[in-house]
Amino acid sequence: MAKKKELSVINAIKSNPKVFYSHVKKQSKLTSSVAPLSRSNDTDLVSDPEEKAELLQDQFSSVLSDPGAVNVDVAATLGLGVEDRLSVTDFTPLCIYESLGDLQPFSAAPEGDIPSLIFKTCRSSLANLIWLLWDCSMRKGSVPDDLNSQFITPVFKKGSQSLPSLA
């Protein structure tokens, strides 16, 4: 039965690429759950995702520095002029192709993201497209907002997983 479904997905790819992505998403078993957390002065556990996010945000904010608060001009420190600042990071589609090849194929991806196996498998098609995106960003001197954000996932190392300070 599963083989039959996979064959129908393969046959439908050319006419409707969404079928493939829908199938892959259904097959992925990625989870990103955080155990219930405890407030520092409370013994009750917090299970609400928004409250847990706030607890972790408060903890991370208390121990991490704000990169926006530091105004260091790295290019000026290196003695580079304005025209040289973006040319320092010169790379080619081959660099991207090789980097995509270094990805761990079965590493977990956040929910809703594309698994690294897809990037690694499709790197010959993707490398030039990714390079074009970054080359354009470098020439314009800006990075699209969507590519300039990050997500922090807590990784508990020891002790109780209910204490955000141990993440």
Side-chain angles (χ1 to χ4, degrees), residues 92-98 100 122-133:
T92 64
L94 179 61
C95 296
I96 294 173
Y97 176 84
E98 289 172 349
L100 291 174
C122 301
R123 68 182 185 218
S124 60
S125 299
L126 294 173
N128 198 49
L129 296 172
I130 294 170
W131 176 79
L132 286 171
L133 175 71

Side-chain angles (χ1 to χ4, degrees), residues 44-133:
D44 293 334
L45 294 177
V46 174
S47 296
D48 178 60
E50 288 183 22
E51 288 183 57
K52 290 192 299 186
E54 285 295 322
L55 283 171
L56 290 168
Q57 174 64 32
D58 292 345
Q59 173 59 30
F60 292 146
S61 295
S62 71
V63 297
L64 297 175
S65 62
D66 178 11
V70 179
N71 189 10
V72 176
D73 189 344
V74 176
T77 304
L78 295 173
L80 300 173
V82 174
E83 67 282 351
D84 297 324
R85 292 181 183 202
L86 293 178
S87 65
V88 171
T89 56
D90 190 29
F91 54 93
T92 64
L94 179 61
C95 296
I96 294 173
Y97 176 84
E98 289 172 349
S99 295
L100 291 174
D102 291 340
L103 291 174
Q104 295 297 317
F106 300 107
S107 61
E111 190 172 330
D113 277 6
I114 301 170
S116 60
L117 179 62
I118 303 254
F119 281 107
K120 185 169 185 149
T121 305
C122 301
R123 68 182 185 218
S124 60
S125 299
L126 294 173
N128 198 49
L129 296 172
I130 294 170
W131 176 79
L132 286 171
L133 175 71

Side-chain angles (χ1 to χ4, degrees), residues 2-39:
K3 290 265 189 211
K4 207 175 205 181
K5 177 66 177 165
E6 289 175 4
L7 287 174
S8 69
V9 168
I10 290 169
N11 291 330
I13 287 175
K14 286 186 179 181
S15 61
N16 186 1
K18 289 183 180 180
V19 171
F20 170 72
Y21 294 108
S22 174
H23 177 71
V24 169
K25 189 169 185 171
K26 285 179 189 174
Q27 298 301 313
S28 66
K29 295 181 174 85
L30 303 175
T31 59
S32 61
S33 61
V34 174
L37 300 173
S38 171
R39 291 182 182 89

